[in-house]
Amino acid sequence: MAKRTKTKRPNRFIYYFFGFIVSVLSFSKRKVRYTFTCPDGKVVYGKQVREELLKFKPPYIIVGNHHSLYDYVFMIRAFYPRRINFVVARKLYLASPYHFLIKLARAVPKNLFQPDIQTIRQSFDILGNEGILALYPEGQIVINGISKDMPESSGKLIKKMKLPVFAVKTQGGYLCDSTWRKKLKHGIIDVDIKITLTPEQIKEMTADQIDEHIAKAIYVDNFAYQEKTGNLYTGHNRSAGLENILYHCPNCKSEFTLKTAKNSIFCTSCGCSAEYTETAHLSWAGEKQHYAHIGEWYNGQRTVENQTIKEDGDFDLFIPVELRQLSENDTVIPNGSSEMKVRKTKKIEKCGVGILHICRDAYVYSGEYFGEQKEIEFDPNKLRYIPYTPGNNFQIYVQDVMFAFHTIDPRHCAKAALVMENIYEINNSNIQQEPIEA
């Protein structure tokens, strides 16, 4: 067996050069304010934050909330010139347009929502070499701007290493830049940093207690934050892209009748409309104010799907899709009651088109699969979370394999994800859930 190559800290030149370039570009339309709460309770701001952070010698771990595409940039800027190894989704590591930079930065790839022993080993390598490891326990960029729960467990790793843990809480980032947005918005972002766990505290805690503590430390409700600060987020066409996460009209209850224009979202069936204001809240035309903001609206859709599934004993959903696959190696995965051979792919490869049938007992893809007609069955009780890119695709992960379902109607991604996450919750409502180990 070949000897495993240990993961090293980021290349110094690459990290400094590209860290500087990305920081300059990402701060062009944002005002980012840094705050650090020192161990003695003293609070420092701005340039003093970096001065204080540089007093702490690695190794240590950083955890943060993940609500925008640029969260990692804000973290790099705060701890610069300390070099950070980031844990990233394996699909970004292998198939992102910038994958070569991600590899040069020596990021640690992770299978989303799946146990990954390789990630654990690489994490030990970095911390054992007096490095800094950054984790985003939410596992994916939060779609609706409100922290939900923490599916990716970091408690066991932290318990094992017994190193200081910094919490980086970024607020307002979602309101400037989120996955559904088509245009960047101008606004203020606050990045609050503190040491949330010391080695002494960790010794007295269980892994579950550590996870619970971290979840509270990085919890963010961007809309409550805006109400508290009064910050405005300006720009043209503020609502563009909302139709890719909002699909259920709260007025007439119809689906996929929502469209956006300039700063408004409206229903083509009943005419109900709302303006997405510079406060990131909704101003409804007419007397009835259905939802205060899109986070509340999105959660309302989750509730609707939950009720529908519970009330309909024969619930099912058929979605036309184009299936794509990413597999780093030749492998074998479960396929219903049998097994299925999966071949190694070059980046993300197109498998073919077909139909995904979603019901409480199974999710079954029927259609083309690399020139053959095939059925692929997924177990709903093993798919707690369904990450998706709004208006593009949703993903199902099985071991080391990612299946990306590009919906023929791009608006179906949000509904598919909410339906499947609700099915998991309903099917497992009497079972206590364990977070997935990093």
Side-chain angles (χ1 to χ4, degrees), residues 30-259:
R30 310 169 179 88
K31 180 179 180 181
V32 184
R33 305 186 299 199
Y34 287 92
T35 303
F36 176 56
T37 303
C38 302
D40 61 3
K42 182 179 70 172
V43 180
V44 297
Y45 306 89
K47 294 181 179 179
Q48 281 187 294
V49 170
R50 187 180 300 171
E51 294 172 4
E52 290 295 327
L53 289 175
L54 287 177
K55 295 178 181 179
F56 296 90
K57 184 179 178 181
Y60 51 79
I61 296 169
I62 310 173
V63 295
N65 63 299
H66 200 13
H67 291 204
S68 84
L69 295 169
Y70 293 93
D71 292 329
Y72 72 97
V73 177
F74 306 141
M75 191 180 290
I76 288 173
R77 185 74 173 261
F79 288 84
Y80 194 85
R82 299 285 193 206
R83 289 171 288 159
I84 303 171
N85 292 82
F86 288 86
V87 176
V88 302
R90 194 172 295 277
K91 69 168 185 174
L92 296 179
Y93 186 86
L94 296 174
S96 164
Y98 310 103
H99 69 96
F100 66 99
L101 292 178
I102 294 172
K103 290 180 179 180
L104 285 174
R106 292 175 180 151
V108 178
K110 168 79 172 69
N111 297 322
L112 284 181
F113 313 128
Q114 301 283 323
D116 196 327
I117 189 65
Q118 182 180 343
T119 303
I120 296 172
R121 287 173 176 167
Q122 290 180 282
S123 299
F124 286 157
D125 289 345
I126 293 157
L127 296 171
N129 192 32
E130 297 188 344
I132 302 171
L133 184 72
L135 309 167
Y136 291 105
E138 287 167 313
Q140 62 178 320
I141 299 177
V142 171
I143 296 293
N144 68 338
I146 303 172
S147 297
K148 183 175 178 286
D149 57 12
M150 199 173 70
E152 299 281 10
S153 170
S154 53
K156 289 183 180 180
L157 173 66
I158 291 170
K159 181 69 176 176
K160 177 76 174 177
M161 299 307 297
K162 293 182 176 61
L163 295 171
V165 179
F166 287 78
V168 177
K169 185 160 73 171
T170 304
Q171 302 180 94
Y174 176 88
L175 305 178
C176 288
D177 174 76
S178 53
T179 55
W180 62 265
R181 286 197 183 281
K182 294 183 178 179
K183 292 184 179 292
L184 185 67
K185 300 297 172 281
H186 300 258
I188 294 174
I189 298 171
D190 283 309
V191 181
D192 301 318
I193 307 168
K194 66 178 181 180
I195 298 178
T196 191
L197 287 171
T198 64
E200 292 73 27
Q201 289 174 305
I202 293 168
K203 289 177 184 178
E204 303 300 321
M205 300 170 74
T206 65
D208 288 343
Q209 288 172 333
I210 292 170
D211 282 330
E212 184 178 350
H213 179 93
I214 289 173
K216 292 178 180 178
I218 62 174
Y219 177 87
V220 169
D221 179 337
N222 281 280
F223 304 100
Y225 159 79
Q226 189 284 325
E227 291 169 9
K228 180 179 178 181
T229 62
N231 295 339
L232 299 181
Y233 296 85
T234 62
H236 302 293
N237 301 314
R238 291 189 296 273
S239 67
L242 274 178
E243 69 277 11
N244 291 324
I245 66 168
L246 302 176
Y247 59 86
H248 183 269
C249 176
N251 188 60
C252 69
K253 314 305 179 186
S254 59
E255 290 189 345
F256 306 115
T257 56
L258 297 171
K259 291 188 176 182

Side-chain angles (χ1 to χ4, degrees), residues 323 325 340-342 351 367-372 374 376 403:
L323 178 63
Q325 177 184 299
M340 167 183 167
K341 290 183 178 180
V342 175
C351 305
E368 300 170 346
Y369 184 75
F370 293 119
E372 301 178 6
K374 197 172 187 69
I376 306 174
F403 294 95

Side-chain angles (χ1 to χ4, degrees), residues 403-420:
F403 294 95
F405 296 85
H406 291 252
T407 56
I408 304 305
D409 184 336
R411 299 171 300 174
H412 285 166
C413 292
K415 182 177 176 70
L418 288 177
V419 165
M420 287 190 277

